[in-house]
Amino acid sequence: MQNRKTLKFWDDFYETEETTSSSNTEWIVQPSESLLATISEHIISAVPRNCKTIHILEIGAGSSLYSLRLWQHLMEKSNSFTVHVLATDVSEVCIRQNFKRDEERINVLSDAIRLGSFRYDVLDALQNPPSEEHAKRYDFVLDKGCLDTFLFRGRNKKVNEDNVLVRTLLDNIHEWLKSYGKYILLSPRKRLSGVQDFCGFAGLQRKQLNLAQCSNCYDAGSLVGEKTCGANLFIFSKNCNYSRELKQAFRIPANIPLDDERCQTCGVSFKEFRRGSNLVGKNGTNWSRKWRGHLQHCKS
């Protein structure tokens, strides 16, 4: 669960936004027609043939119009599916303002489209354990800034076992997805190797988006400490064999020494040598190289 300080931060953020001329803030990338077409194409191609109803969850929606415009785009471009979208945020202030802003538009679209639905609701993406209400309910989980925000604001800015916030988020996303579900992530980061190493995901598609789509977005580059903003689309497939009860949530590269392997000269173990550091992603490769160097040159 997110703490009171964090909740107040976001409530204050959206209360301040309400007093400005802008009614919505877009992070990372604008929900342009070309972006909506790209996302829709991936969604339609991933749905099983016999599926006629699509359920989509957006986490960390903020005041963005991304999921609302995507819902409209999907329903207008495809007659094969009924689409139900739930756009969520941890801030009650944000959700209240979104509903006030979009209520008339949602009603008009609902009457025109007739089938399907769009709702706003409060959801803490870090709830642990997650609510059973959302378990295995969604075909797709959308994320445009949620994961990046946790990486930016947290002390640990890497995706690994030590980052409890990010692991909880990924565990929850895995829990919310159906067996064939996809996690559709938009990020300014060019690489998300730690997320790719998450055992709850079994596959990845990645596409770099047109930089022009990032114009007029809210300070997206600062999320990754870059002066310029880029946008990348990551689509992760669910691994149904994973369970959040597993102690090891991230894949460790092959050919990594065992923790209890010891230096024959000084007697230190591999785990002691690296001081308990995790071995996820590049960490495993780097520590293995350092360990081999220690074994070769140790004179203790």
Side-chain angles (χ1 to χ4, degrees), residues 192-212:
L192 283 168
S193 57
V195 181
Q196 187 174 350
D197 290 333
F198 177 59
C199 297
F201 298 141
L204 167 65
Q205 295 174 270
R206 177 184 173 275
K207 179 178 181 179
Q208 187 171 9
L209 302 176
N210 188 339
L211 286 174

Side-chain angles (χ1 to χ4, degrees), residues 3 8 16 19 43 45 57 70 85-86 98-99 121 127 135-136 140 149 173 205 208 215 233 238 256 261 284 294 296:
N3 59 44
K8 186 179 186 305
T16 301
T19 63
I43 286 176
S45 65
L57 171 69
L70 179 62
V85 176
L86 176 61
N98 286 356
F99 182 77
D121 203 357
Q127 58 181 207
K136 298 178 176 61
F140 304 94
T149 298
I173 291 170
Q205 295 174 270
Q208 187 171 9
S215 62
L233 171 64
K238 178 175 179 176
I256 300 296
E261 179 177 319
H294 172 81
Q296 182 177 357

Side-chain angles (χ1 to χ4, degrees), residues 21 36 83-84 115 119 166 185 199 214 252 265 281 283 289 294:
S21 58
L36 298 178
V83 183
H84 300 276
L115 297 176
R119 292 193 300 119
V166 172
L185 171 67
C199 297
C214 302
I252 296 177
T265 304
N283 276 0
R289 183 178 66 252
H294 172 81

Side-chain angles (χ1 to χ4, degrees), residues 50-82:
N50 60 346
C51 180
K52 299 301 181 182
T53 303
I54 300 174
H55 291 273
I56 299 174
L57 171 69
E58 183 183 18
I59 56 174
S63 58
S64 169
L65 293 170
Y66 169 44
S67 56
L68 179 58
R69 288 180 176 172
L70 179 62
W71 175 60
Q72 180 179 359
H73 185 92
L74 282 168
M75 295 304 294
E76 290 178 347
K77 301 298 181 181
S78 175
N79 297 321
S80 304
F81 307 101
T82 299

Side-chain angles (χ1 to χ4, degrees), residues 14-265:
Y14 291 111
E15 285 177 349
T16 301
E17 184 180 64
E18 188 176 26
T19 63
T20 66
S21 58
S22 175
S23 62
N24 70 290
T25 297
E26 295 296 344
W27 292 77
I28 302 169
V29 61
Q30 290 286 343
S32 63
E33 282 299 311
S34 60
L35 175 65
L36 298 178
T38 298
I39 302 295
S40 298
E41 180 182 345
H42 283 287
I43 286 176
I44 293 172
S45 65
V47 175
R49 291 183 179 179
N50 60 346
C51 180
K52 299 301 181 182
T53 303
I54 300 174
H55 291 273
I56 299 174
L57 171 69
E58 183 183 18
I59 56 174
S63 58
S64 169
L65 293 170
Y66 169 44
S67 56
L68 179 58
R69 288 180 176 172
L70 179 62
W71 175 60
Q72 180 179 359
H73 185 92
L74 282 168
M75 295 304 294
E76 290 178 347
K77 301 298 181 181
S78 175
N79 297 321
S80 304
F81 307 101
T82 299
V83 183
H84 300 276
V85 176
L86 176 61
T88 67
D89 196 274
V90 72
S91 170
E92 294 184 7
V93 173
C94 172
I95 294 302
R96 184 173 64 249
Q97 291 176 183
N98 286 356
F99 182 77
K100 180 180 178 181
R101 179 194 65 194
D102 298 329
E103 181 180 14
E104 182 177 351
R105 181 177 182 178
I106 292 171
N107 290 336
V108 170
L109 289 173
S110 296
D111 290 340
I113 296 172
R114 298 197 177 185
L115 297 176
S117 64
F118 183 93
R119 292 193 300 119
Y120 286 115
D121 203 357
V122 176
L123 176 66
D124 185 350
L126 297 184
Q127 58 181 207
N128 189 14
S131 170
E132 294 184 2
E133 172 189 358
H134 302 288
K136 298 178 176 61
R137 179 175 176 80
Y138 301 100
D139 304 275
F140 304 94
V141 172
L142 306 180
D143 182 345
K144 187 163 80 82
C146 186
L147 173 67
D148 281 303
T149 298
F150 288 127
L151 289 173
F152 174 72
R153 289 178 59 82
R155 293 180 180 178
N156 186 350
K157 302 186 185 302
K158 295 182 178 181
V159 180
N160 54 41
E161 299 285 357
D162 298 329
N163 195 324
V164 178
L165 296 183
V166 172
R167 173 168 180 180
T168 300
L169 175 65
L170 296 179
D171 276 339
N172 287 350
I173 291 170
H174 181 271
E175 179 70 19
W176 294 329
L177 287 171
K178 295 180 181 179
S179 59
Y180 56 84
K182 308 283 187 182
Y183 174 37
I184 301 178
L185 171 67
L186 288 163
S187 173
R189 301 170 191 271
K190 296 179 181 179
R191 301 179 188 84
L192 283 168
S193 57
V195 181
Q196 187 174 350
D197 290 333
F198 177 59
C199 297
F201 298 141
L204 167 65
Q205 295 174 270
R206 177 184 173 275
K207 179 178 181 179
Q208 187 171 9
L209 302 176
N210 188 339
L211 286 174
Q213 295 176 325
C214 302
S215 62
N216 301 318
C217 293
Y218 184 86
D219 200 18
S222 67
L223 286 173
V224 291
E226 297 179 358
K227 294 181 180 180
T228 57
C229 169
N232 295 276
L233 171 64
F234 298 87
I235 302 178
F236 297 93
S237 302
K238 178 175 179 176
N239 174 17
C240 295
N241 295 320
Y242 173 78
S243 168
R244 69 189 302 143
E245 304 303 322
L246 295 175
K247 183 177 180 181
Q248 186 71 42
F250 297 87
R251 299 179 184 89
I252 296 177
N255 303 319
I256 300 296
L258 298 175
D259 280 350
D260 58 0
E261 179 177 319
R262 292 187 176 275
C263 172
Q264 296 300 312
T265 304

